[in-house]
Amino acid sequence: MILPIVAYGSPMLRKVCDDITPDYGDLKKLLDDMWETLYNSNGVGLAAPQINKPIRLFLVDTVQIVADFNEEDKKEYPNEEPIKQVFINARKIEDTGDMWTYNEGCLSIPKVREDIRRQQKVRIAYMDENFKEHEAVFHGITARVIQHEYDHIEGKLFIDYLSPLKKRLAKKKLDDISKGKVRTDYRMLFSK
Ligand code: NI
């Protein structure tokens, strides 16, 4: 089932999310719905608060984006290892490596894209859908998506990294989104 995506302006997107336990509701169905929602909106990552659940759960699928690399992208990201992975109860251990810029967007903030600087690598502890514990380092675009989705379960959004000037420039668009004045080809949930 495709779920509506919580739009910018909702307090849900500002919550520090809680861990879940293996007896959490119908997790299999929730994950199926989240994958379906992600693909329906052509996203590369989706976090639970974006579907109105304040829990530490997000999905990342960078397989397609890497498969679509052109020659220039391949040169720029030579060691890209795509993943399709569920992250449960994730705790970021550290961001490492040089800062780099990537043009980010977010399904909750449609039609806003901004160059955001983050570090190249992320070390993260998490559980998979079977609650098996993992710790791993990711890099490149995959790290970027994980960092973005991890921020969601900490109540942070990519626009929080904008300079005061860029934030002022984006304000009208953000206000419009929070008032429901935006058109998307996926269903959204507005708080006002
Ligand atoms: Ni996002």
Side-chain angles (χ1 to χ4, degrees):
M1 185 173 71
I2 296 167
L3 306 167
I5 305 237
V6 173
Y8 173 81
S10 165
M12 177 59 70
L13 297 178
R14 292 306 189 180
K15 287 192 177 164
V16 177
C17 296
D18 295 324
D19 282 341
I20 58 168
T21 53
D23 60 5
Y24 181 85
D26 193 348
L27 186 61
K28 166 91 175 65
K29 163 89 171 115
L30 176 62
L31 291 175
D32 285 348
D33 288 349
M34 284 181 73
W35 284 119
E36 196 181 347
T37 303
L38 176 67
Y39 297 132
N40 176 65
S41 54
N42 292 310
V44 289
L46 182 69
Q50 294 183 279
I51 49 109
N52 223 17
K53 293 201 185 298
I55 56 173
R56 298 186 80 83
L57 162 61
F58 61 87
L59 318 173
V60 173
D61 186 347
T62 51
V63 173
Q64 196 57 47
I65 190 174
V66 172
D68 289 342
F69 272 1
N70 59 30
E71 289 309 311
E72 221 168 278
D73 295 331
K74 281 181 201 160
K75 259 181 249 163
E76 201 169 340
Y77 315 109
N79 303 312
E80 189 66 39
E81 291 165 41
I83 58 163
K84 178 183 172 179
Q85 180 67 53
V86 173
F87 293 80
I88 293 173
N89 300 344
R91 290 287 183 285
K92 192 198 277 186
I93 296 163
E94 58 177 352
D95 291 308
T96 57
D98 294 338
M99 299 293 282
W100 68 296
T101 301
Y102 187 75
N103 195 251
E104 293 188 29
C106 180
L107 295 174
S108 295
I109 315 174
K111 294 174 185 169
V112 175
R113 296 200 69 96
E114 297 285 352
D115 284 342
I116 303 295
R117 281 162 56 80
R118 298 186 196 258
Q119 283 176 278
Q120 284 171 337
K121 289 180 259 182
V122 60
R123 176 182 288 276
I124 193 166
Y126 64 96
M127 294 174 186
D128 61 25
E129 56 267 60
N130 301 311
F131 285 84
K132 185 171 180 294
E133 290 182 27
H134 300 266
E135 185 180 317
V137 176
F138 299 92
H139 58 91
I141 287 177
T142 296
R144 176 61 65 133
V145 178
I146 291 169
Q147 289 161 328
H148 177 116
E149 299 310 325
Y150 185 83
D151 275 355
H152 274 300
I153 63 169
E154 290 286 320
K156 282 189 232 164
L157 299 170
F158 79 99
I159 49 165
D160 299 346
Y161 297 97
L162 295 179
S163 67
L165 172 65
K166 283 205 166 171
K167 210 161 206 176
R168 266 205 307 283
L169 293 171
K171 189 173 183 306
K172 172 81 169 70
K173 274 191 187 175
L174 294 174
D175 287 349
D176 281 350
I177 294 167
S178 64
K179 290 176 195 150
K181 286 196 271 177
V182 65
R183 292 183 72 162
T184 47
D185 47 19
Y186 50 87
R187 203 150 58 93
M188 295 199 84
L189 194 62
F190 299 97
S191 56
K192 287 172 198 162

